[in-house]
Amino acid sequence: MARRRQLYEGKAKTLYEGPEQGTLVAYFKDDATAFNAEKHDVLDGKGVLNNRISEHIMLSLTKIGIPNHFIRRLNMREQLIREVEIIPVEVVVRNIAAGSLCKRLGLEEGLQLQRSIVEFYYKSDELGDPMISEEHITAFGWANPAEIDEIMSMALRVNDFLMGLFAGIGIRLVDFKIEFGRVLEDDVMRIILADEISPDSCRFWDISSNEKLDKDRFRKDMGGVVEAYQEVAKRLGIMPEATQQKRTGPVLVSDQS
Ligand code: 5GP
């Protein structure tokens, strides 16, 4: 394959120049990081699974009219995406208390929230992605009020859809992080969903056992990380062939339904 120009190397993905104007190639790595990259490991097969899971979710979102950057999957580890002007804000939607929400407010993990909560964080590795408000976003010019409304509305639509999708396969959608970007279409600037949606960026709990099926297994040294991602892919009906070989690690999930 011809060498492509690398544009950006992130913790879990590398972005290359795409074959056509306005496109990029996202390469999904096996690297896993947590706590602002203080913890790092390479998890064999994670990139392949996230590429497939994110593809499946983005295509499903396209079908219900949520515009996103996904164009098509190129191979096991790469997908072609639209180039966007990324908005430097991580949008987190929460349905159940976990992670930093519990830490910040002293809540017990697993508390069902009365309503879904949308939070914003400034995308900055140096600062450790600090939490911000709409006021910060507009004051620093990261997005205008109309764009924030659009982002909030899209984030809640994504949440409604994903909650239903995952409930149907016995998984509770605890929370997730998404990102948005701008694209110019017919001289109009539009906001579309960008980045990935995968067990790296979501918390998934098995409905019957509450077993964690996401990156918290890595963050908390629970083991069975790739097996958990495989379980999510299997339930979505998209288990990639290359990761289907028998593994010798612990058997993670017993489907009790
Ligand atoms: P928390 O704020 O509780 O750490 O994370 C909330 C949700 O957003 C979790 O599902 C977590 O995986 C996701 N999330 C938060 N920050 C990041 C990030 O920088 N990268 C990724 N991949 N996911 C994140």
Side-chain angles (χ1 to χ4, degrees):
M1 197 189 293
R3 281 184 77 79
R4 287 175 306 223
R5 196 157 71 90
Q6 182 178 312
L7 300 177
Y8 167 82
E9 174 147 26
K11 286 172 272 189
K13 287 191 295 298
T14 305
L15 296 181
Y16 297 93
E17 210 169 50
E20 298 136 39
Q21 178 82 23
T23 66
L24 300 176
V25 173
Y27 176 93
F28 284 68
K29 303 194 284 187
D30 281 342
D31 296 65
T33 60
F35 314 121
N36 209 10
E38 276 172 38
K39 185 176 158 89
H40 174 259
D41 205 350
V42 176
L43 302 171
D44 184 25
K46 180 180 81 85
V48 173
L49 287 156
N50 280 353
N51 189 23
R52 273 308 261 115
I53 293 170
S54 199
E55 171 197 19
H56 181 81
I57 292 175
M58 291 297 184
L59 286 176
S60 306
L61 290 172
T62 301
K63 279 188 199 150
I64 62 154
I66 297 188
N68 62 76
H69 72 167
F70 183 84
I71 301 174
R72 67 175 178 278
R73 186 162 61 86
L74 298 171
N75 55 50
M76 297 293 276
R77 284 188 184 272
E78 292 179 328
Q79 51 183 248
L80 186 67
I81 57 175
R82 288 181 72 178
E83 184 172 21
V84 302
E85 180 199 334
I86 202 81
I87 294 171
V89 173
E90 297 190 345
V91 180
V92 168
V93 184
R94 302 181 187 270
N95 301 304
I96 295 170
S100 70
L101 180 67
C102 292
K103 227 177 188 175
R104 198 178 319 115
L105 300 181
L107 303 175
E108 197 167 325
E109 184 183 76
L111 176 77
Q112 178 69 50
L113 302 174
Q114 293 301 309
R115 45 171 287 189
S116 303
I117 296 174
V118 181
E119 297 172 344
F120 302 113
Y121 295 84
Y122 177 48
K123 248 174 93 69
S124 164
D125 286 342
E126 302 87 76
L127 301 175
D129 298 344
M131 192 178 190
I132 50 172
S133 71
E134 288 184 45
E135 296 284 300
H136 297 94
I137 299 175
T138 51
F140 293 108
W142 296 321
N144 64 39
E147 287 176 326
I148 297 175
D149 285 350
E150 178 73 9
I151 285 170
M152 288 272 280
S153 144
M154 260 201 264
L156 290 170
R157 280 167 65 208
V158 170
N159 185 47
D160 282 348
F161 174 76
L162 290 186
M163 276 209 294
L165 175 77
F166 282 98
I169 55 170
I171 291 175
R172 228 188 293 273
L173 177 66
V174 175
D175 55 34
F176 63 92
K177 183 268 299 180
I178 46 179
E179 295 180 22
F180 294 87
R182 299 184 186 91
V183 286
L184 195 59
E185 270 177 15
D186 304 323
D187 290 335
V188 178
M189 200 58 106
R190 282 183 73 199
I191 302 269
I192 68 172
L193 182 62
D195 202 38
E196 70 181 272
I197 301 182
S198 74
D200 265 10
S201 58
C202 304
R203 284 195 175 93
F204 296 132
W205 294 353
D206 178 74
I207 279 179
S208 41
S209 68
N210 274 338
E211 190 146 26
K212 295 183 197 304
L213 299 171
D214 57 64
K215 195 171 158 186
D216 268 354
R217 298 198 73 84
F218 171 71
R219 296 187 186 102
K220 294 171 184 265
D221 287 323
M222 296 168 77
V225 184
V226 171
E227 288 79 359
Y229 287 36
Q230 282 176 336
E231 179 65 24
V232 173
K234 199 171 87 189
R235 292 197 200 180
L236 286 169
I238 52 162
M239 187 71 175
E241 314 77 43
T243 59
Q244 274 177 346
Q245 72 264 26
K246 247 195 162 23
R247 290 181 173 271
T248 49
V251 176
L252 177 68
V253 173
S254 52
D255 189 355
Q256 297 171 355
S257 58

